[in-house]
Amino acid sequence: MCHACVMESVQRQMLDRRRLLKTAAGFGLGGAALAAGIPTPARAQTAATGRVVDLTHTLFPDFPAFEEGPQFALEKKFDIAKDGYNLHVIRVSEHVGTHLDAPLHFSADGISVAEIPVERLVAPLAVLDLRARAAEDPDAQATPDDVKAWIAEHGELPAGACVALLSGWDSRVAEGTFKNLDAEGRMRFPGFHPETVAWLLEETEAGGIAVDTLSLDHGISPDFAAHRDWLGAGRWGLECVASLAELPASGATIVVGAPKFQGGTGGPTRVVALV
């Protein structure tokens, strides 16, 4: 074997090892965890139809958010007629519109949005359809039984999969009822039950969860338990996802274009699915 080929082989092995260690470190895992066989995400599924579905809401100043007042602003800095080009200054909350929650959002020492290994952001997608239940009960929650029913029909969740809750709530952004405040000013919308988060962590190798509502937890949650337990375990979450109804329950691949800035707890994200 030629010297150049040997060097190329060694460099490739070193790169693979470095990438593996970086992935483990990003989820708080050391050499012992690697030796124990901590799973890595399954290989992204090849698109069967070549169709790409945009799962991202267009962000605008009054997009509904937990905080009061606009959480997004676009200020014109330069104009093509005057300056020869267009440029805006953006002011935006990390958690508005279709966005990613990094582990740091609900943990003291979790990884930031910039530290999530990129291979974790391309994942097999499992869609739980709770539209009928959500239409009857705005406080509906995805339960362990919902995940078990999905598994019974479609097979085991692939390693690193993203489990998405389809409630049909995305249409409410345009209707102005996304937060769905009750008479007492409490938000009422579906989310993941904390028991489901615990079950996913204990029984599966899922790497992300997603909702088409404002929060991973249902609207009247008193303690953000789903956030705390899921993100605290080093996983990521997506909120305010759009167009999940256009996807099959199984077989799509989600691609999360997360922002990459130092120390971020999350950020507005372009999310697409390959079907």
Side-chain angles (χ1 to χ4, degrees):
M1 181 180 291
C2 66
H3 177 73
C5 294
V6 172
M7 290 301 297
E8 181 181 355
S9 177
V10 170
Q11 289 173 345
R12 184 167 57 250
Q13 292 178 43
M14 290 176 65
L15 181 60
D16 289 343
R17 173 66 177 172
R18 191 178 303 120
R19 185 180 297 115
L20 183 60
L21 289 172
K22 183 178 179 182
T23 300
F27 279 85
L29 306 175
L34 287 173
I38 298 297
T40 55
R43 183 178 299 275
Q45 294 154 287
T46 303
T49 68
R51 188 162 62 96
V52 180
V53 179
D54 192 352
L55 304 182
T56 317
H57 285 286
T58 298
L59 192 54
F60 53 90
D62 293 323
F63 196 99
F66 269 92
E67 296 80 8
E68 294 298 324
Q71 300 298 305
F72 169 77
L74 198 64
E75 176 187 338
K76 192 71 172 282
K77 183 82 171 182
F78 296 99
D79 183 78
I80 193 165
K82 178 183 176 182
D83 306 298
Y85 62 97
N86 292 313
L87 185 146
H88 295 91
V89 172
I90 300 172
R91 289 186 175 85
V92 62
S93 166
E94 290 179 311
H95 299 276
V96 66
T98 302
H99 66 275
L100 182 138
D101 284 2
L104 183 59
H105 186 36
F106 266 77
S107 55
D109 57 357
I111 61 174
S112 72
V113 67
E115 296 171 312
I116 300 174
V118 69
E119 58 267 26
R120 300 273 178 171
L121 298 174
V122 180
L125 188 61
V127 180
L128 309 179
D129 191 345
L130 270 66
R131 285 176 291 181
R133 196 187 311 165
E136 297 292 330
D137 178 13
D139 301 324
Q141 297 180 75
T143 68
D145 285 343
D146 293 316
V147 184
K148 292 173 186 177
W150 188 97
I151 291 173
E153 182 172 356
H154 303 287
E156 294 296 325
L157 285 171
C162 175
V163 181
L165 188 165
L166 165 59
S167 70
W169 224 253
D170 54 338
S171 65
R172 288 173 172 258
V173 171
E175 297 170 1
T177 58
F178 195 61
K179 296 175 78 168
N180 195 36
L181 301 178
D182 63 17
E184 299 177 17
R186 300 177 301 173
M187 292 180 285
R188 310 293 291 270
F189 52 75
F192 277 90
H193 195 289
E195 291 180 1
T196 309
V197 165
W199 191 86
L200 287 171
L201 291 173
E202 293 170 4
E203 303 294 337
T204 78
E205 300 171 358
I209 57 176
V211 293
D212 57 6
T213 62
L214 190 57
S215 173
L216 303 179
D217 291 271
H218 70 314
I220 58 172
S221 169
D223 56 7
F224 295 105
H227 272 89
R228 184 188 65 240
D229 296 344
W230 186 255
L231 301 179
R235 270 58 165 190
W236 52 260
L238 286 170
E239 296 172 331
C240 304
V241 175
S243 304
L244 286 172
E246 296 185 28
L247 305 178
S250 175
T253 295
I254 193 168
V255 181
V256 183
K260 190 177 183 181
F261 53 90
Q262 210 169 42
T265 69
T269 298
R270 191 67 180 263
V271 185
V272 300
L274 310 179
V275 182

